[in-house]
Amino acid sequence: MAALKMINAKFKSKCSETGKTIYKGDVCFYDYQYKQVFHPSADIVRIRQSQADEAQENAYFDNFCLQNNI
């Protein structure tokens, strides 16, 4: 699963999930692996961000346990 990168749109395009128009200069999310762009209100953006947050929290906890011999 590739991470979504927040970018400013360089071209007018449509969200791959919702079909909403993304105008040049608008903030959007780009999936470099599949070459798709998503509107910030798309469900996939919230899902992937929550997965990334959970992964970061798990890595922090694992590192804490290693450093404290738990």
Side-chain angles (χ1 to χ4, degrees), residues 7-66:
I7 63 169
N8 289 327
K10 294 180 181 181
F11 309 98
K12 181 180 175 185
S13 56
K14 287 193 176 188
C15 175
S16 295
E17 182 182 320
T18 64
K20 290 183 179 180
T21 302
I22 301 169
Y23 295 98
K24 181 179 178 180
D26 286 352
V27 173
C28 60
F29 290 85
Y30 187 72
D31 185 337
Y32 284 93
Q33 182 178 1
Y34 296 106
K35 297 180 177 153
Q36 295 177 327
V37 65
F38 298 98
H39 191 272
S41 67
D43 290 335
I44 194 164
V45 173
R46 286 191 297 276
I47 291 169
R48 291 220 185 145
Q49 284 178 336
S50 67
Q51 289 173 343
D53 291 345
E54 184 178 338
Q56 183 176 4
E57 187 176 314
N58 289 340
Y60 176 82
F61 181 72
D62 291 343
N63 188 35
F64 176 81
C65 290
L66 284 173

